[in-house]
Amino acid sequence: MFKVLLATLFYLASCAVVFAVHVVASGVLASYGSAYPASLRSQIPVFSVAAVSLMQNSALLCFGALFVSGALALSALLRAPSRESKLYWVSSLAIVNYHVGIFLLGAVAVGFFWLPKLASSL
């Protein structure tokens, strides 16, 4: 029973992380605006343009990832033959959720803040 509780909390925490990344990305975009990287220098790195695009579409990316993750978790819970395999698949989906969150948060940090400042210092 402890494993089930732990896997459930692990999965729910990963879903909360993906939602929090959307809140952070949209908050940063609302605070600074999408023209912030261009305000530091006339030429902005291509990755910064992609990061702004990811931030503008963070709701679609995060909620899409949560929807797909939820559908796959429900499918794993209904179709997996044993309890251990259900726990394995739900935990694997939680790890994927964490990776999606870290990727998007890294794109915000690197592409929106670090690269434009690095490019303006050159």
Side-chain angles (χ1 to χ4, degrees):
M1 190 63 181
F2 180 70
K3 289 180 185 179
V4 173
L5 181 65
L6 191 62
T8 304
L9 290 176
F10 187 56
Y11 180 75
L12 291 176
S14 73
C15 291
V17 164
V18 172
F19 180 74
V21 166
H22 162 65
V23 170
V24 166
S26 61
V28 166
L29 194 61
S31 296
Y32 287 95
S34 61
Y36 173 73
S39 68
L40 297 175
R41 190 172 180 192
S42 62
Q43 292 179 330
I44 58 173
V46 175
F47 188 79
S48 294
V49 174
V52 170
S53 174
L54 284 174
M55 291 169 66
Q56 290 171 345
N57 297 317
S58 68
L60 178 67
L61 294 170
C62 291
F63 293 130
L66 286 176
F67 177 75
V68 169
S69 174
L72 289 174
L74 186 63
S75 175
L77 290 175
L78 294 176
R79 293 182 181 237
S82 67
R83 188 169 86 169
E84 286 79 20
S85 64
K86 290 177 185 182
L87 295 176
Y88 170 79
W89 287 112
V90 169
S91 299
S92 297
L93 288 171
I95 291 170
V96 170
N97 284 345
Y98 282 120
H99 279 94
V100 167
I102 289 171
F103 170 74
L104 290 175
L105 198 58
V108 169
V110 171
F112 198 74
F113 292 112
W114 187 66
L115 279 180
K117 288 186 181 183
L118 182 66
S120 68
S121 68
L122 296 178

